[in-house]
Amino acid sequence: MSGRESSSQKSLRRYPGFRAVALMCLFLLYVPILVVAIYSFNDIRSITTWGGFSLKWYAKAFSNPQIQSATWNSLVIAVSAATIATCVATAAAMGMTRGRRFRGQGGVFAVISIPLMIPEIVTAVASLAFFLAIGFTLGLHTILIAHTVFCIPFAYLPIAARMQGIEKAFDEAAKDLYAGRWRAFRYVLLPMMTPAIISGYMLAFIISLDDFIITSLVAGPGSTTLPLAIYGLVRVGFSPEINAISTLLLLVSMIFVSASYLVSRIGRSN
Amino acid sequence: MDDNGGAFIVPVDVRIDRRGGKMSEQTSLRAPRLWNWHRIALFLPAMGLIGFFLIIPIGVIAIYSFLVPGVYGGVVWEFTTNAYRQFLFEQDLFTDEWAFNGAYLNIYGRSIGQAAVATIACLLVGFPTAYFIATRPPENRTIWLFLVTIPYWVNLLIRTLAVLFLLRDQGPINSFLMDWGVIEKPIRLAYTNFAIGFGLVYSYLPFMVLPIYASLERFDFSLMEAGYDLYAGRWTILRKVVLPVVAPGVVAGSLLVFIPSLGSFIAPDILGGGRNLMIGNLIALQFQGSRNWPFGSAAAMILLTLVLLALFFFARRQQGGLASSHG
Amino acid sequence: MSEGENEIAVHIGDVVKVYGSGDSAHTALHGINLDIRHNEFFTLLGPSGCGKTTLLRMIAGFESVTEGEISLYGQNLATSPPNRRPVNTVFQQYALFPHMTVAKNVAFGLKMKGHGEAETRARVDEMLRLVQLDRFAERRPSQLSGGQQQRVALARALAPSPKLLLLDEPLSALDLKLRQAMRLELKQIQRDAGITFIFVTHDQEEALTMSDRIAVMSEGALQQVGDSRDIYEAPVNRFVADFIGETNLPEVVIERYEGDHAVCRLGDGSELHCSVSEGAAAAGERGHLSIRPERLSFTAAGEEGSIRCVIDRTIYVGTDTQYAVHLGDGSELVVRVQNEAGEELPWSAGDEVGLRLATGAARLLSD
């Protein structure tokens, strides 16, 4: 990293208007969600005028039994899918990054990243067709399976990135000091990777919690998740209740992503 | 070169392609074969899950695309290429003759156009933003990157709804303009192609910024000084020095915007008001409403082919880029 | 078992290492034979890529042995994985576990070996006192300086009382002053601990100052094994002479052998008496001499027994002055003369002077 440069050197790198575009970019990214968040506290149903601060839409959303059950479904699926995906991804990252490169490694990586490369709508209809073809009835379990598969690369990438950063010397040092394969993993590698694993878990959790397209196709009747419930409400008409739930989901995502980011930073500085 | 800032959050990132470089010649602790079995056992669950519940399903719809649709959804096991023919031709109900029909082709064309426009718009906003971030002091870059990345993790459905909320006839933009007397009647913003485009840009803008930033981060800015030293002007340097070096990042970013835009479902569904169909909606419709699975499968296979072609050309570009520029 | 002064600690017999197979096979070590004595500070010295680290890693158990055997006090190591060998390693970048305190790092090997809590604690205290880090027991490695981390790595490796300690360029990450201080400390710790050390380095000064014996390696083969003096004074071949210290390597014609000496003719026709290393060419053939620059001195031109030369350049380097000279036939040599306090340089560029060799300064090398 270059340290302090003189201001004339720096100004040579500047382009007029780039700062304005960057600020506009942030503005563009945040204004819509901020507007939604602000209106979720509007006391009156109108979306054009401000009727004072109120939490009544939140209260209304919380007391809606459909939203309650959808929230519960979403949480159960997100926790389960993220847990399975993280375990599987951690094992895969171990296999991929510890030890020498092997023939077909690129192929294995390609398979793991397939869920990221294929358009989500294709994943969604393919899962639907497959579940029905093998005689599954649609329901929470089909959502869980589809989410788990879709979450694997999201958990894998941060974990593998961290694991690549752990030199094999740590592994060797543990073995040199009389730890067998399992104890070297348990006492040295795993603690060193914990931040990345938490980070991967949280990302997988968010991806599952937020997914709409795949869920909407593989969900059976009655197995509604939160995004599906919101979509259903929008079909009926725009209500401030939607703003309230959206704001809450928004908050959950931001908290999780920030936490995931902070944890992985801690892991790296260690 | 370790990633700083939020780049780790990006699902598909240019650094994926560089991972090979980091894996130095490593040596096993035991006999290679035994070790390999251990490793195979480690990544087998991930491979198995993705293989069984994603790769096989894609095989299934590939097969379905050559079958005859069932009356109430599903398929009849009879080979036909009608699903693909239906894209260009329409079969007359009574005479069974095929006549050209551009409606579906039109949807594909519109989707590609819509995605291309969104990509260009993202590039126009994303490149200066990435450049601006890359020229910040290191401690500020992290915050900027973080701010750019955060919206990506907010529920896509909610973000799209937020855009709809903003653009509606009774939404804040229109009411603001009317209150100030700029306009008398609301301008039609929602349920237009513009709204879809805006929604796509809004959805995928971080995908453009991050890879470009990643390549700019490794850019040696003293090259610019060398350019000035050799009498090049500001914009000449941008074109001749900066752009060639960060081209892989630009290509990666464009692809990361273009691919999901092409197959997008939520933006056209919500912001297009169900009238301005894109490929994603066409596919979903075949599995939900019209119940023509083979046609939906064929539409999905065509989309998949387009995406894989784009990725293939990207990979070729990337390899060429690696040889000519730096890693 | 008595472990007398000359007992063999490590026996390395015909060890070969081949990486890969078929067309891409690459031989990293070509049949190494080496016996390392009990309680010896033994150094593997060579440029990077010479195979010294590979050999060390084979002794540690991180690399498999393609052919040959490695045994420790008579016990074959081939079948035991690294965690079953009574051998510990100090890694190049230390590889201290970042999530553990200094004390936990040092305790790790003892715990894994199954030592009790009290015993472990006592041994950790003892080790930390040995490396003078007892005040830092509860710190994390990242809170320590490079030199302190280095000593933690040493304490961690010594704590389980290994029969053999391997050190893989442990000083290379330190700055010069600290490196010099650590050399003495390492040597002292080795004597106190009474453990055989195998030390890998590419730094010849490090090797010369610390080692009881040195093995010079190049291109996967041993070039010479001996103590510091042997290696410096009596290099067996051009590689060793060139790699260790600075030397002149003029080409000569071997006139004749006289007992254990040889008479060689330099390019300008002057004849020199020189000692002979094993495997040197026969009389009448060409060969190379090694003449250390500090074993040359100047005298007046034309003096009896001196070689006529002209000074091209002088470079003042503090303790001494380097002179680049050429002989009558144009061949070049470097001469180092110790500086005396307050004295002007007695010779300068362009001077014609006589060159005199100290006795035994010239050595005929094998190629």
Side-chain angles (χ1 to χ4, degrees), chain C residues 4-276:
Chain C
E5 198 51 36
N6 280 321
E7 195 194 354
I8 302 302
V10 182
H11 168 71
I12 296 164
D14 292 319
V15 163
V16 173
K17 177 70 189 178
V18 181
Y19 285 112
S21 57
D23 290 342
S24 63
H26 158 70
T27 307
L29 293 174
H30 310 265
I32 303 284
N33 277 298
L34 205 53
D35 282 323
I36 295 160
R37 293 177 204 132
H38 174 64
N39 222 349
E40 189 170 38
F41 197 119
F42 193 89
T43 298
L44 297 172
L45 173 66
S48 58
C50 71
K52 59 192 192 298
T53 298
T54 303
L55 184 58
L56 191 82
R57 292 172 56 81
M58 287 164 98
I59 300 169
F62 301 134
E63 304 271 356
S64 61
V65 178
T66 312
E67 266 175 50
E69 73 152 325
I70 296 177
S71 58
L72 182 65
Y73 293 105
Q75 241 181 345
N76 194 347
L77 287 179
T79 52
S80 43
N83 53 324
R84 301 263 170 73
R85 298 184 185 201
V87 174
N88 290 139
T89 307
V90 176
F91 290 84
Q92 190 168 10
Q93 303 293 335
Y94 319 139
L96 297 176
F97 306 133
H99 58 288
M100 297 181 193
T101 61
V102 167
K104 292 233 169 76
N105 263 285
V106 178
F108 189 84
L110 298 164
K111 285 221 174 108
M112 292 297 122
K113 272 179 98 177
H115 288 261
E117 192 75 20
E119 190 188 348
T120 302
R121 200 171 314 133
R123 180 70 178 159
V124 169
D125 287 346
E126 185 191 341
M127 282 300 116
L128 288 179
R129 247 177 286 120
L130 177 73
V131 297
Q132 295 157 26
L133 283 175
D134 31 342
R135 289 182 299 119
F136 298 95
E138 294 312 312
R139 297 256 185 111
R140 293 287 175 108
S142 57
Q143 296 168 299
L144 302 181
S145 70
Q148 288 167 334
Q149 290 184 19
Q150 216 275 311
R151 284 186 291 185
V152 176
L154 192 62
R156 183 177 73 175
L158 284 171
S161 314
K163 288 187 177 166
L164 173 65
L165 192 76
L166 308 175
L167 302 102
D168 185 8
E169 308 225 13
L171 304 183
S172 61
L174 304 178
D175 61 43
L176 183 64
K177 277 263 189 284
L178 202 52
R179 203 154 63 213
Q180 286 169 342
M182 279 307 293
R183 281 179 200 159
L184 299 175
E185 207 170 319
L186 258 184
K187 181 79 188 158
Q188 189 59 46
I189 287 172
Q190 189 258 338
R191 266 191 217 123
D192 293 349
I195 294 176
T196 311
F197 275 34
I198 301 181
F199 186 91
V200 158
T201 185
H202 64 270
D203 182 332
Q204 38 127 341
E205 199 180 317
E206 217 163 87
L208 294 177
T209 47
M210 288 193 291
S211 318
D212 295 323
R213 280 195 307 151
I214 299 169
V216 182
M217 292 180 70
S218 164
E219 289 172 358
L222 286 180
Q223 303 296 323
Q224 185 170 3
V225 181
D227 64 20
S228 302
R229 176 166 284 274
D230 280 346
I231 300 271
Y232 189 81
E233 304 280 345
V236 294
N237 59 24
R238 267 171 80 185
F239 175 82
V240 176
D242 198 23
F243 187 73
I244 308 291
E246 230 186 311
T247 196
N248 293 296
L249 291 167
E251 200 188 42
V252 292
V253 175
I254 305 162
E255 289 288 306
R256 60 188 179 276
Y257 283 98
E258 289 176 358
D260 59 347
H261 278 252
V263 176
C264 300
R265 192 153 40 80
L266 280 171
D268 70 338
S270 47
E271 290 192 347
L272 293 176
H273 281 265
C274 38
S275 59
V276 181

Side-chain angles (χ1 to χ4, degrees), chain B residues 229-261:
Chain B
D229 193 51
L230 298 166
Y231 316 109
R234 210 177 268 273
W235 297 99
T236 313
I237 285 175
L238 188 67
R239 245 176 342 110
K240 300 246 162 130
V241 181
V242 183
L243 272 182
V245 175
V246 301
V250 171
V251 174
S254 302
L255 218 66
L256 289 179
V257 173
F258 185 80
I259 289 177
S261 296

Side-chain angles (χ1 to χ4, degrees), chain A residues 1 4 9 11-16 18-19 21-26 28-33 35-36 39 47-48 84 88 91-92 94-102 105 108-109 111-112 114-119 121-123 125-133 145 148-149 152 154 156-158 164 168 171-172 175 181 199 203 206-207 210 212-213 216-217 227 230-231 234-235 238 242-243 246 249-250 253-254 257-258 260-261 264-265 268, chain B residues 2-3 5-6 8-12 16 19-20 22-23 25-30 35 38-39 42-43 45-47 49-50 52-58 60-61 64 124-125 127-129 131-132 135-136 138-139 141-142 144 146-148 150-155 157-159 161-166 168 170 172 175 198 201-202 205-206 221 224-225 228 234-235 237-238 259 263 265-266 269-270 280 283-284 287-288 293 300 303-304 307 311:
Chain A
M1 284 295 139
R4 301 274 155 244
Q9 257 179 327
S11 70
L12 285 179
R13 296 176 186 175
R14 289 214 179 119
Y15 284 88
F18 276 24
R19 173 194 296 268
V21 175
L23 290 172
M24 193 189 88
C25 174
L26 276 198
L28 200 70
L29 288 174
Y30 283 91
V31 160
I33 48 181
V35 168
V36 165
Y39 276 94
I47 40 155
T48 48
I84 303 170
V88 164
M94 289 277 301
M96 288 288 280
T97 58
R98 311 312 294 175
R100 79 170 82 209
R101 302 197 67 175
F102 56 91
Q105 193 158 15
V108 174
F109 180 69
V111 169
I112 290 173
I114 276 180
L116 292 177
M117 295 198 283
I118 288 177
I121 187 72
V122 176
T123 305
V125 296
S127 302
L128 170 69
F130 178 68
F131 286 141
L132 295 180
I145 293 170
T148 303
V149 171
I152 289 172
F154 287 90
Y156 174 83
L157 288 177
Q164 258 167 17
K168 68 177 169 169
D171 203 29
E172 289 180 352
K175 288 178 174 142
R181 191 194 294 276
S199 169
L203 296 186
I206 283 298
I207 288 295
D210 283 352
F212 171 72
I213 299 173
S216 72
L217 277 151
I230 295 173
Y231 188 77
V234 173
R235 286 278 120 143
F238 225 105
I242 298 172
N243 287 347
S246 301
L249 257 181
L250 225 136
S253 301
M254 287 192 177
V257 172
S258 310
S260 156
Y261 171 74
S264 78
R265 295 245 343 153
R268 214 168 297 151
Chain B
D2 206 343
D3 57 85
F8 80 100
I9 312 180
V10 193
V12 184
I16 290 164
R19 65 196 302 286
K22 271 189 109 173
M23 308 255 310
E25 223 2 86
Q26 298 196 330
T27 42
S28 64
L29 302 183
R30 290 209 187 157
W35 188 223
H38 249 89
R39 296 177 68 178
L42 283 172
F43 52 69
M47 299 273 285
L49 275 173
I50 293 170
F52 191 73
F53 288 109
L54 188 55
I55 297 177
I56 292 180
I58 285 166
V60 167
I61 59 166
Y64 279 11
L124 290 179
V125 179
F127 181 82
T129 306
Y131 185 92
F132 178 76
T135 51
R136 294 303 86 202
E139 59 273 18
R141 286 181 209 164
T142 314
W144 270 93
F146 191 55
L147 286 175
V148 169
I150 278 259
Y152 165 72
W153 293 100
V154 171
N155 195 321
L157 176 67
I158 289 175
R159 276 187 295 155
L161 287 176
V163 172
L164 176 65
F165 186 77
L166 212 61
R168 286 187 320 158
Q170 311 93 319
S175 52
F198 186 87
V201 171
Y202 180 55
L205 186 53
F221 280 94
M224 289 184 75
E225 274 132 40
Y228 283 119
R234 210 177 268 273
W235 297 99
I237 285 175
L238 188 67
I259 289 177
F265 170 81
I266 295 180
D269 187 63
I270 287 175
I283 296 170
F287 283 86
Q288 292 171 323
W293 285 22
L303 173 62
L304 195 59
V307 167
L311 281 173

